[in-house]
Amino acid sequence: MHLRHQLHRSLFAAIFSTTVTLLLGVSAASASAETIRIAIGTQDTTINCATGGLLIRELKLLEKYLPHDGKYKDVQYDIQWKNFTSGAPLTNEMVAGKLDLGAMADFPGSFNGAAFQKAGKRSIFISVLSGSTTGSGNGIVVPKASSVQSLSELKGKTISVPFASTAHGMLLRAIKEQGWDAEKDVNIITQAPEVAGSALQSNKIDAHADFVPFAELFPHRGFARKIFDGSQANAPTLHGSLVDADYARKYPEIVVAYLRAAIEADRLFTAEPEKYSELIEKVTGIEAEINYLYHGPLGLQTRDFTWKPEYRQAVKTSIDTLKAMKRTETDLDANTFIVDDYIRTAFKQSGLDYDAHLKNYAKSPLTAKDTLTGKAITDPKRIGEIWVQGEPLVRHYAALETALAEASKLEKAGKKLRTVYAQDRESGLKLLAADAWFVQSKNEINAFLLKSSAEAWAKKNHGKLLDFTAAKAASAV
């Protein structure tokens, strides 16, 4: 009996031990098979966010960098993408816990931080994606047939703008520099870009201020003219990436993986700007010519992931302006809201020197040869470029008058031009030549965004003021 009892006990212990082992195994398998959500809010039509959203999604770059070792061994990733037309609804879903990361501009980004803080939570601004330290990208347009040529002529007029946007901040700053009272000297109304487009075409507004890419997109589509660039107000602007701070604290490796994917998207765009400008058009409907205008060589904006002092100031200014506009009462500290730890780690893991990039203020470089001579272009100040319909690559010319003459020849030969680009002689801004002003003086032709600038140059250099058609004709002689 004693022996039988011992056998029963041994058998029970063995069964119990096996059962516990199996249960622990199931528990371990369950833990290792954890599913981690990565929910990202994008703004596809706000093409400044392309490297932080659209390109990562379309090229499946995030999957390339997600961790699969250590605590992430055997985890499943649930990658969710949701597209928005502006930052406000994206912020609402982030605060509600439906999104983990999002991309937006300085103003809506600051509102994001304030909204999180009001809800007893915290979001952090982890990276710039693209921007301009001088403010280019935001702009003001008027109806195509309007006689208005500058902001100074809009006193007493109706100007629409998406409220609480980065363009709104630019507009308020520009009005202040005119010495005007924004409440009395102009009639500012709120309009989303899609509404403003129709209003411009029907002449229901005198002007519209907007962010990337609408100040160039509307003129390119033929129903508006750009009369003011954000750089004239010297108000730095940026679009960047934000993340729920709790999520970043829990999954820092995932946040770094996202930023590495963004860096990879930037590298690809730099290498083949036309190709990826076409991809953005395919997804958004925004013409590749505009995408290239912004993000191609010498573009209106620079894809830049570093927190330059000007970008930090842009966030601080947006916080102060939102409070002045009574859009928020929260005291958000830009110094703690901006966190560069994750992007620095992403740079290091990508083999890049963050501090070297931080000091670099150069535009996306043009490394090209003159289409006619085959010689390397060394001075970008007076270049001209042509994108011919049916050609995959943009043609580059060392001299603007050469590009204009070639444009004329191509059209006479029956070729269709997608667009012609010029560089503003004074500011260096990349321009859509069809809407620029030109001055012919001595043996050269120079381009300008503003008619007043062109007139001043013509007077100083004894030149002749020309529009695009006249400039092509003059170059073809």
Side-chain angles (χ1 to χ4, degrees):
M1 290 292 292
H2 181 69
L3 180 61
R4 185 183 299 172
H5 184 65
Q6 280 186 321
L7 287 171
H8 281 171
R9 286 181 63 185
S10 297
L11 181 61
F12 176 80
I15 293 171
F16 179 79
S17 176
T18 302
T19 302
V20 169
T21 300
L22 288 170
L23 286 172
L24 286 173
V26 169
S27 176
S30 175
S32 65
E34 176 193 3
T35 297
I36 299 176
R37 185 191 78 177
I38 309 173
I40 306 170
T42 70
Q43 293 188 68
D44 287 357
T45 54
T46 305
I47 59 174
N48 262 17
C49 299
T51 55
L54 186 154
L55 292 178
I56 295 177
R57 182 188 67 228
E58 296 299 316
L59 302 176
K60 297 190 181 303
L61 297 178
L62 180 57
E63 290 86 337
K64 182 177 175 180
Y65 292 102
L66 286 173
H68 293 284
D69 55 0
K71 71 178 182 180
Y72 299 100
K73 189 176 186 299
D74 299 324
V75 302
Q76 300 295 314
Y77 290 111
D78 176 20
I79 303 174
Q80 301 174 12
W81 295 94
K82 188 167 184 180
N83 182 35
F84 298 83
T85 57
S86 64
L90 196 164
T91 286
N92 291 339
E93 296 216 5
M94 280 188 72
V95 174
K98 296 178 181 179
L99 294 171
D100 306 308
L101 297 110
M104 61 189 76
D106 40 22
F107 267 71
S110 296
F111 187 77
N112 180 290
F116 262 83
Q117 194 164 294
K118 187 176 181 181
K121 303 179 181 181
R122 185 185 175 210
S123 67
I124 50 177
F125 226 147
I126 55 172
S127 175
V128 180
L129 291 170
S130 182
S132 169
T133 56
T134 59
S136 187
N138 296 315
I140 301 174
V141 298
V142 296
K144 183 77 171 181
S146 172
S147 61
V148 173
Q149 296 291 343
S150 67
L151 176 63
S152 62
E153 298 171 56
L154 290 175
K155 189 171 185 179
K157 305 292 186 180
T158 297
I159 308 172
S160 72
V161 64
F163 268 33
S165 69
T166 183
H168 194 178
M170 176 271 299
L171 177 62
L172 293 176
R173 186 164 179 168
I175 287 171
K176 185 177 181 180
E177 289 195 0
Q178 289 289 324
W180 299 346
D181 185 329
E183 300 286 332
K184 300 175 182 177
D185 293 321
V186 287
N187 178 31
I188 300 177
I189 64 172
T190 182
Q191 273 186 339
E194 56 271 21
V195 176
S198 298
L200 286 164
Q201 292 180 69
S202 57
N203 293 300
K204 290 182 178 177
I205 53 175
D206 297 298
H208 175 67
D210 219 325
F211 46 78
V212 178
F214 299 100
E216 281 70 35
L217 183 63
F218 289 165
H220 181 66
R221 290 182 174 174
F223 58 81
R225 277 188 302 104
K226 184 178 177 183
I227 63 158
F228 186 90
D229 185 83
S231 60
Q232 291 172 246
N234 194 28
T237 184
L238 69 111
H239 283 74
S241 297
L242 298 99
V243 64
D244 184 311
D246 288 338
Y247 187 90
R249 194 176 300 111
K250 189 175 183 181
Y251 303 120
E253 297 86 357
I254 292 176
V255 175
V256 170
Y258 162 78
L259 292 173
R260 288 195 67 187
I263 291 169
E264 174 75 356
D266 175 68
R267 186 188 68 76
L268 292 170
F269 209 133
T270 300
E272 300 181 275
E274 293 96 339
K275 175 181 176 179
Y276 293 106
S277 291
E278 296 276 20
L279 176 58
I280 294 173
E281 176 178 354
K282 181 180 177 182
V283 175
T284 67
I286 293 173
E287 291 84 338
E289 301 94 283
I290 298 301
N291 303 323
Y292 185 90
L293 174 72
Y294 272 94
H295 298 304
L298 309 175
L300 277 178
Q301 293 213 328
T302 304
R303 295 184 312 283
D304 181 1
F305 294 88
T306 63
W307 281 107
K308 291 178 169 53
E310 292 86 350
Y311 293 141
R312 289 178 178 272
Q313 182 58 47
V315 173
K316 186 178 185 303
T317 298
S318 64
I319 293 170
D320 294 341
T321 306
L322 284 168
K323 288 187 71 174
M325 292 165 60
K326 298 181 180 178
R327 304 291 291 192
T328 180
E329 296 177 355
T330 305
D331 288 318
L332 183 66
D333 184 353
N335 294 320
T336 55
F337 180 40
I338 295 170
V339 176
D340 64 7
D341 299 27
Y342 300 96
I343 189 62
R344 283 180 176 274
T345 301
F347 263 68
K348 187 175 181 179
Q349 291 184 8
S350 300
L352 300 172
D353 185 337
Y354 181 89
D355 290 316
H357 282 260
L358 183 63
K359 296 172 185 175
N360 182 14
Y361 281 76
K363 291 186 176 185
S364 300
L366 173 68
T367 305
K369 294 180 179 179
D370 186 289
T371 301
L372 289 183
T373 68
K375 294 181 180 179
I377 296 174
T378 57
D379 183 2
K381 293 189 183 73
R382 297 189 57 259
I383 69 162
E385 297 169 288
I386 304 173
W387 201 343
V388 181
Q389 187 72 45
E391 293 187 359
L393 302 178
V394 171
R395 299 185 183 193
H396 309 284
Y397 302 90
L400 177 57
E401 52 271 8
T402 304
L404 293 170
E406 284 299 298
S408 184
K409 288 180 185 178
L410 287 164
E411 287 176 324
K412 287 178 181 176
K415 296 280 188 179
K416 184 177 180 182
L417 308 185
R418 293 178 70 162
T419 194
V420 178
Y421 302 107
Q423 302 294 131
D424 188 295
R425 185 64 174 83
E426 294 180 318
S427 68
L429 290 174
K430 199 177 193 77
L431 306 174
L432 294 169
D435 289 300
W437 292 95
F438 300 86
V439 175
Q440 183 181 34
S441 56
K442 299 178 182 177
N443 297 318
E444 65 180 36
I445 293 180
N446 291 294
F448 302 85
L449 168 64
L450 302 177
K451 186 177 183 181
S452 57
S453 298
E455 288 173 334
W457 184 274
K459 184 176 181 180
K460 182 180 178 181
N461 295 278
H462 308 289
K464 183 180 180 182
L465 183 70
L466 306 169
D467 62 13
F468 181 52
T469 302
K472 286 190 292 182
S475 298
V477 175

